[in-house]
Amino acid sequence: MARKEELKNPIIEQRADPWIYKHTDGYYYFTASVPEYDRIELRRAKTIQGLEDAEPVTAWTKPDEGPMSNLIWAPELHYIDGKWYVYYAAAWTSEIINGLFDHRMFVIENDSPNPLEGEWVEKGQIKTDLDTFSLDATTFEHNGTQYLVWPQKDPEITGNSNLYIAPLKNPWTIEGPQVMISKPEYPWEIKGFWVNEGPAVLKRNGKIFITYSASATDENYCMGILTADENADLLNPESWKKSEEPVFQTNFEERQYGPGHNSFTVSEDGSEDIIVYHARTYTEIVGDPLYDPNRHTRAQVFTWKEDGTPDFGKPVPDQKEIKSPQKVSL
């Protein structure tokens, strides 16, 4: 059983935006942004800690040109109606345009029982009401409806990205309507950049929780949470209540800087809930933090408060020596 003391961070070095999913076959599946931003990797293991030594398999590699040819970000692996799907963001150029990268959201599909095998088929771009910067799509099912939650830029709203939700007709097609459920507004959401991104969904205690990350990807990066009643209309923005303060943030005492872009999983026996996230161990970043490769995958057990909301605590100290180099060639 994956008890708290058995999770020794970092779990995997130089893997940002980590996604760990425990499937019914007993395996933990892992994907994340690789420092080169050029491919989608998958790995699996019987334990979370075992993912470190699991052999990575390249599921998909970016083409040399076209809308998916640059900056492959934040893949997520989902199992929907008997097939595997990876949601990811990609851009046609690595250049910044009007203050932003130019990402859109895409999906690939695999019908093999083991997603490290079989063929991945491109299902195309997820089209939204706005043809603007969009990324970090996640999906969840509730009361028979599959939903998509994602960050996107609205040219009429200050900031890089707001959070939206919409029902799906199939895993790669929004059925509509799509509505905004959060935008950067509190001081902790607008440090460096005005950002709401990296949503992840928890369903528990009669509630639906959406965690998300805010501010720039340095030590200011932190997490907030949206909460809705499970019987509420999830497409009504008024159903979602936002935390006024961060729920997970830098732990200066333990040198855990900028924790965020999380996912959720459970212990091997399902008795404990685990938050998976990335963080750095230093603040002295040369150049754009995006191109600093040392956001490492970490994980820790979290608990629940008496009111039924999650208590993530603070990022725990590293228990393993970090051996990765400080730079990576792009």
Side-chain angles (χ1 to χ4, degrees), residues 218-219 255-257 279-286 292-296 325-327:
D218 52 18
E219 70 268 24
R255 295 173 45 103
Q256 298 293 312
Y257 302 113
R280 290 189 182 88
T281 57
Y282 54 88
T283 60
E284 302 78 17
I285 301 168
V286 178
D292 176 283
N294 294 308
R295 293 180 291 175
H296 305 313
Q326 297 295 304
K327 295 180 183 285

Side-chain angles (χ1 to χ4, degrees), residues 10-292:
I11 303 296
I12 303 175
E13 294 185 32
Q14 293 197 335
R15 290 297 183 268
D17 315 319
W19 179 265
I20 296 179
Y21 165 70
K22 187 175 188 293
H23 192 43
T24 54
D25 61 4
Y27 280 96
Y28 289 94
Y29 290 85
F30 174 82
T31 189
S33 297
V34 301
E36 298 82 9
Y37 299 134
D38 64 351
R39 64 192 185 276
I40 295 171
E41 278 187 356
L42 301 175
R43 63 178 83 181
R44 72 175 188 170
K46 286 290 189 177
T47 65
I48 293 174
Q49 205 75 55
L51 289 167
E52 177 182 20
D53 297 320
E55 186 70 26
V57 172
T58 298
W60 180 88
T61 302
K62 72 176 185 64
D64 293 332
E65 58 185 17
M68 300 178 293
S69 59
N70 275 279
L71 297 178
I72 309 306
W73 288 357
E76 286 193 8
L77 179 69
H78 293 267
Y79 189 73
I80 304 170
D81 295 333
K83 295 182 180 181
W84 294 97
Y85 295 89
V86 172
Y87 291 77
Y88 64 99
W92 63 276
T93 176
S94 60
E95 300 299 316
I96 294 176
I97 301 171
N98 296 324
L100 277 174
F101 290 105
D102 204 34
H103 284 73
R104 301 295 187 272
M105 302 175 293
F106 299 88
V107 182
I108 54 176
E109 177 190 73
N110 189 338
D111 61 6
S112 172
N114 178 0
L116 278 65
E117 301 173 349
E119 179 184 3
W120 285 96
V121 178
E122 294 176 4
K123 306 305 288 188
Q125 180 183 337
I126 301 176
K127 299 294 183 66
T128 70
D129 290 346
L130 295 169
D131 185 22
T132 59
F133 174 74
S134 53
L135 71 169
D136 296 351
T138 194
T139 185
F140 71 101
E141 182 276 334
H142 186 62
N143 290 340
T145 298
Q146 195 77 31
Y147 292 92
L148 191 78
V149 181
W150 74 97
Q152 186 160 15
K153 167 68 177 177
D154 183 338
E156 302 300 317
I157 297 176
T158 299
N160 288 24
S161 56
N162 316 306
L163 291 182
Y164 297 85
I165 189 171
L168 289 170
K169 181 167 63 176
N170 57 46
W172 59 92
T173 308
I174 289 174
E175 192 167 33
Q178 60 186 63
V179 295
M180 186 180 73
I181 55 176
S182 181
K183 65 179 180 180
E185 53 192 323
Y186 291 123
W188 51 272
E189 296 179 290
I190 61 174
K191 291 183 178 180
F193 295 103
W194 295 50
V195 169
N196 282 180
E197 66 181 18
V201 178
L202 267 178
K203 295 170 63 176
R204 188 69 59 83
N205 302 329
K207 304 289 185 182
I208 298 176
F209 304 99
I210 300 177
T211 56
Y212 65 93
S213 298
S215 290
T217 59
D218 52 18
E219 70 268 24
N220 292 307
Y221 209 52
C222 62
M223 283 169 43
I225 194 168
L226 302 171
T227 304
D229 187 274
E230 66 178 0
N231 296 316
D233 177 6
L234 303 186
L235 300 177
N236 180 356
E238 296 299 317
S239 297
W240 296 95
K241 306 302 178 187
K242 180 192 288 194
S243 59
E244 296 183 4
E245 300 292 338
V247 294
F248 201 57
Q249 59 189 317
T250 288
N251 184 346
F252 289 95
E253 293 79 8
E254 302 295 352
R255 295 173 45 103
Q256 298 293 312
Y257 302 113
H261 204 119
N262 76 290
S263 57
F264 296 109
T265 190
V266 296
S267 59
E268 290 172 52
D269 67 353
S271 68
E272 293 178 304
D273 293 297
I274 295 169
I275 182 172
V276 183
Y277 59 96
H278 69 233
R280 290 189 182 88
T281 57
Y282 54 88
T283 60
E284 302 78 17
I285 301 168
V286 178
D288 188 334
L290 179 68
Y291 293 107
D292 176 283

